[in-house]
Amino acid sequence: MADIVDRSFEMREAAPGPQGPGVLSFAVTWLGRWPLAQIALYVGTFAMIAYLWTNLEANMARLGLTPGFAFLNHAANFGIGEGLISFEAGDSYARAILVGLLNTVSVSLVGCVLATALGVAFGILRLSGNPLISRLSQVYVEGLRNTPLLLQLFVWSTLLHLLPNPRQALSPAPGVLLSNRGLFLPSISANGWGLPILASAALLLALQGTWLTRRRQSVGPAPLAVVAAATIVSTLVPFAVALLAGIDFQPDVPALHGFNIIGGISLTPEYTALLLGLAVNASASIAETVRAGILSVQTGQWEAARALGLRPGQILRLVILPQAFRVIIPVMTSSYLSLTKNSSLAVAIGYPELVSILNTSANVTGQALEVIVIMMATYLTLSLAVSLAMNAYNRRNMRKGGFGR
Amino acid sequence: MSLVDDKPPALLDRHPLLKATLGTPGNAAITLALAILAGLLLPRAWDWFIWNAVWWGSAEDCTAASGACWAFIGEKLQFIVTGLYPPEQSYRAYAACGLLFGLLLVSTSPRLWGRGLLALWIAGIGGAIWLLGGGGPLVPVATDKWGGLPVTLFLSISAFLLAFPLAVGLALARRSRLGGLRLYAVTFIELVRGVPFIAILYAATLLFPLMLPEGAAIDKFARATVALSLFVAAYLAEIIRAGLQAIPNGQYEAAQSLGLTWWQATRLVVLPQALKTVIPAIINLAIGIFQDTTLVAVIGMFDLLNAARVAANDQVWLGFYTEAYVFVALLYFLFCFSSARYSLWLERHLNPVRRH
């Protein structure tokens, strides 16, 4: 890692750019000694695009299609298996695409969180002193990295369909049911404004947690009374409001009713297969990143922390990982980006995400150009959003510490 | 009282492996838990993979048995490896695989790298096209009948060969002082890297045919190859750019002081060094691309994985997906794992002394 940073510095000195001040010099550097060559490149490219465009217009006219996005308002006559917002045959194509986009975002977000948890765990286990554990983590990582993701998705999909039917559903944890109808998780149901109130309670608790942590870092541990008061305010106030408003909270545990499982949060087999496939696959590369990041922290840090009397778990959590994450986060960004892009493989296992729905729309309407433009623009925006978010996080993280610099 | 402990070292201290697995209570507990897990899982795996498996026999034998159905792989081997390729011509598909594998093996020796090898590769790709497509004494076989392992190998290799010159051009353009050229390269690279490969494949299969003049058509296989090579070029260009950045500016200056032009300095001094430093990264990219060729299944092409999946759709041998996936997973794993090991070896071989 170190030599890459050094070299990039050398590069910056030799970086392309104007060789002096002034607009003229800037323009001269931009255009170079043979400006016509660059102009010819652009003219050639635009001429080719124009040629392909005329062909496209002619072909579309022959097929009775008009280029443009008007078709988005037309009724789509296909159904969509699942989505975060409702969709019925007859709703517009725009809504269908929105359903697909939300599905893509949902599986990517949850996938990134799951992949990070798995990846960090396996990255740390890979460095365990117990050879059984480090070898097993190595087998996990190598097995995933050396087989195609599509194959892994097929395998997950097959496995989930091989599961027993709802009557003999597996229950890996109390309240969790796994069958060939998908994964069912317990949740809480509430009427009226119940869920927003619950969300605000969770938000308050999280805010309180960060406030207390920050306070501990600057002034030292808060008195018990302060902690108790803060907890009471952030948990009891929302519930008091709920009680006054007459909202009834019920635990919603999935259970077998007749031939099917009802209740709780249900994840379809397709969603579960895609989520597990993407997360497990990405966790292999994240594990390698985490391992390299931990190894990049100087051994002196371990020794110094041990000399202070910290236990191994504390050393890892308080000393090593915060430093390793400096190296890890930029590389993690590319893992998240590829996970988001790889969610498009869902089209092969029948989960209705963006690419799958756009593909269906293109086949039904014939508006291939518009569909491809939407597909590319959406993924470019998503990639940009992930990059920006991760860069902002990275900047904040770098500013906060300044350790060893 | 003696200062030196006369007692022989304890059993655990004499065996580092035992000490590492049983030394502390925590480690002993983990080892025990893993042993119990292995005791539960390994006999089942043994039963399914080996003991109760059907190695020779019919589909009925397989349905009756509780283990794996390797007879299915034996029966369908030709379909999995060659796809829809005409069975009576399948020796040509095997020969094409052998030719490409042979070339890959020959290329693993750094001593043989040079113009001769490049010429051999171009000849080899030409030979593979001839073997698969036919011509002369061989019966022609349309590209939509190509399938299985030859397709996977041919797609990845030809896409890489096509992408290489483009990637070098893009990498140089992205580092150029000429702003227009730089903008062009940056736009292309970031556009391609920002979208999934499937989007590019769809553009090549759904959109591109609509952009040709009426009556004109370009083979789907060729379109997929070009789409893959554009995809590879964007990623390869970034790797080559990293290699170019690793070359100190002094190399350019030294070349300039010898009177070389920019082109000569780039071609003779900078590029050879830059490419050498990034060869391991290129091999890792190649492993990724080799795996990504499986995505051509979504546009209805029969690569190795898709052929294996379709083999399990046979009415007689219905549903032996697990066996099919295990078999191809093993093939992919062997190929990719050995390539990754080779890349590690090469990295050490090319840079015997670590520079810091």
Side-chain angles (χ1 to χ4, degrees), chain A residues 12-90:
Chain A
R12 213 174 300 135
E13 286 186 315
Q19 300 302 301
V23 179
L24 187 68
S25 137
F26 180 77
V28 166
T29 324
W30 245 71
L31 291 172
R33 262 191 287 174
W34 297 284
L36 278 183
Q38 284 189 69
I39 293 168
L41 179 72
Y42 277 86
V43 170
T45 308
F46 285 123
M48 201 176 76
I49 292 174
Y51 170 71
L52 294 174
W53 178 257
T54 30
N55 284 338
L56 182 78
E57 271 195 320
N59 283 330
M60 286 181 85
R62 202 159 42 78
L63 295 169
L65 299 165
T66 36
F69 292 94
F71 80 98
L72 287 177
N73 294 323
H74 300 174
N77 57 0
F78 51 81
I80 298 177
E82 58 180 306
L84 297 178
I85 55 173
S86 66
F87 183 86
E88 281 160 39

Side-chain angles (χ1 to χ4, degrees), chain B residues 254-311:
Chain B
Q256 231 164 18
S257 71
L258 286 174
L260 299 186
T261 63
W262 181 86
W263 273 112
Q264 286 173 322
T266 303
R267 195 167 58 84
L268 301 171
V269 180
V270 178
L271 259 185
Q273 298 184 61
L275 290 180
K276 196 183 145 193
T277 53
V278 292
I279 286 171
I282 293 179
I283 296 176
N284 286 338
L285 175 69
I287 296 173
I289 296 301
F290 182 73
Q291 297 180 1
D292 279 352
T293 53
T294 52
L295 300 194
V296 297
V298 300
I299 57 165
M301 281 167 61
F302 282 86
D303 71 313
L304 182 60
L305 176 59
N306 202 20
R309 200 176 61 92
V310 170

Side-chain angles (χ1 to χ4, degrees), chain B residues 73-139:
Chain B
I73 301 292
E75 180 74 22
K76 288 282 167 185
L77 188 63
Q78 192 208 313
F79 186 83
I80 295 174
V81 177
T82 66
L84 296 174
Y85 208 78
E88 68 281 2
Q89 302 286 331
S90 62
Y91 72 93
R92 284 160 54 184
Y94 292 122
C97 284
L99 177 69
L100 295 174
F101 262 123
L103 276 171
L104 284 173
L105 271 181
V106 167
S107 313
T108 53
S109 167
R111 259 182 306 165
L112 298 176
W113 293 351
R115 272 157 213 262
L117 191 64
L118 185 67
L120 204 62
W121 268 108
I122 293 168
I125 285 288
I129 294 177
W130 174 65
L131 276 171
L132 289 170
L138 300 178
V139 191

